Amino acid sequence: MATAYYSHPDCAAHDMGRGHPECPERLAAIGDHLLATGLDVALDQRDAPLVDLAELDLAHDTRYVAEISDRMRQAEASGEPRAVDPDTVLCPATWKAARRAAGAAVAATDAVIDGEVDNAFCAVRPPGHHATRNQAMGFCFFNNVAVAARHALDKRGLKRVAIVDFDVHHGNGTEDIVAGDDRILMVSFFQHPLYPGSGGVPLGDNMVNVPISPYTRGEEIREVIEMMWIPRLEDFKPQMIFVSAGFDAHREDDLGQLGLVEADYEWITRRIKQVADRYARGRIVSCLEGGYALGALARSVATHLRVLADL
């Protein structure tokens, strides 16, 4: 078996405007690097399907799904972008891109649970971990990881899943959705203070929030992971692990001030994989979140994929 790699050209068509950091070039940089290094041929490449809108209701309010979907369709029909907040814009291509992003996460979950592949990475946009139960924000519209985690629990019958979030920004949307759900353990680190300014006080006992001071480097973050994440994950014994894989904690990324490098992402991925191999039959679905320095993003994703694929 192999590591599945889900993506789709529709995800690259989503464009929030010139100079926006969450840009189509992010996926191009990843794809070009995989091609240049030959890593693309080692992956089971799959098209991201369109999500069944009923799946979105597993993580989001039904009214929110209907309202934001209607706004996306209006933008698609009019050809005019529509701002959701100062940083988040619906463009004509967002309707298909957002459904592909969530659809990839759900399809990857099914493929891994069904044993078609060992694990999966979703190279998709828009990202998802800032999307709350009823609000789009922070470049995010649908919470891809939360939708997939709830799909594994509510549709596929798993009893316990973990969400690991290593984006430089706190995954406030995911916390809003899963806090208090004892079937889900969420562990994360994030720079604090930094957008969106949340996470200092966890919203539920199933949350392991680790705020990190600016300019912290990888060695200290590894120590925190060993001390704060790993014991909770081992006690929880997840049957599957979902990863919000943000690579904007890289020292080259201007949207944060942490000091991770590719070797740190390799180590973090390996520790996640060790927990998954021990308790979850190796089942991991990882979804792209942040990462805006294109070279660092491409190299870090490739490092993440090599660990997932045992290369």
Side-chain angles (χ1 to χ4, degrees):
M1 289 195 292
T3 292
Y5 181 87
Y6 285 84
S7 196
H8 196 279
D10 286 346
C11 292
H14 168 65
D15 189 347
M16 292 190 283
R18 181 177 296 179
H20 198 291
E22 208 294 280
C23 59
E25 289 79 10
R26 298 178 67 226
L27 294 187
I30 294 168
D32 289 347
H33 185 75
L34 298 183
L35 183 65
T37 59
L39 187 54
D40 61 319
V41 299
L43 304 172
D44 183 344
Q45 300 210 28
R46 301 185 174 202
D47 281 342
L50 296 168
V51 73
D52 183 336
L53 295 186
E55 295 283 355
L56 303 176
D57 293 341
L58 298 175
H60 295 286
D61 287 345
T62 302
R63 180 178 296 179
Y64 167 74
V65 173
E67 289 177 351
I68 196 69
S69 297
D70 186 55
R71 294 181 69 181
M72 289 178 179
R73 285 191 290 261
Q74 289 174 14
E76 182 182 52
S78 70
E80 296 293 329
R82 297 166 180 249
V84 174
D85 67 22
D87 299 317
T88 310
V89 180
L90 293 169
C91 78
T94 304
W95 175 228
K96 288 182 179 178
R99 287 185 294 157
R100 296 282 185 195
V106 172
T109 300
D110 285 336
V112 171
I113 290 176
D114 290 340
E116 296 175 15
V117 292
D118 296 310
N119 51 52
F121 179 76
C122 301
V124 294
R125 33 184 311 278
H129 77 151
H130 292 310
T132 71
R133 198 183 311 271
N134 57 17
Q135 183 179 0
M137 60 181 291
F139 315 162
C140 304
F141 302 95
F142 300 131
N143 196 308
N144 308 319
V145 161
V147 169
R150 285 278 175 76
H151 175 81
L153 294 164
D154 296 343
K155 296 294 185 70
R156 298 306 308 265
L158 298 191
K159 304 300 183 185
R160 297 178 311 280
V161 303
I163 296 174
V164 175
D165 188 324
F166 55 72
D167 194 276
V168 78
H169 303 96
H170 175 234
N172 63 300
T174 311
E175 179 168 25
D176 175 70
I177 293 165
V178 310
D181 187 338
D182 292 337
R183 304 172 300 168
I184 302 174
L185 174 68
M186 180 176 176
V187 303
S188 67
F189 70 76
F190 47 90
Q191 182 180 323
H192 189 76
L194 190 65
Y195 179 90
S198 55
V201 178
L203 300 181
D205 292 339
N206 64 323
M207 311 301 301
V208 181
N209 296 359
V210 185
I212 301 290
S213 299
Y215 307 108
T216 302
R217 294 189 176 273
E219 183 177 348
E220 296 171 71
I221 292 175
R222 295 188 196 195
E223 291 175 359
V224 166
I225 288 172
E226 285 292 352
M227 182 171 57
M228 302 292 291
W229 284 11
I230 300 303
R232 287 293 300 273
L233 287 167
E234 291 182 339
D235 287 345
F236 187 69
K237 298 178 175 61
Q239 295 173 305
M240 191 165 185
I241 297 178
F242 295 87
V243 181
S244 276
F247 298 95
D248 40 7
H250 196 285
R251 68 182 180 186
E252 295 178 19
D253 202 299
D254 291 337
L255 264 67
Q257 291 84 42
L258 295 185
L260 299 191
V261 295
E262 292 89 324
D264 297 309
Y265 289 117
E266 178 182 7
W267 183 90
I268 292 169
T269 308
R270 200 170 302 284
R271 290 301 282 127
I272 295 168
K273 196 169 186 296
Q274 287 167 354
V275 173
D277 288 344
R278 184 171 181 183
Y279 300 108
R281 304 180 195 172
R283 296 187 290 204
I284 298 171
V285 169
S286 178
C287 296
L288 180 65
E289 300 284 1
Y292 307 102
L294 298 184
L297 169 65
R299 298 191 308 270
S300 298
V301 168
T303 296
H304 183 61
L305 284 167
R306 286 190 188 96
V307 177
L308 290 178
D310 289 325
L311 296 176

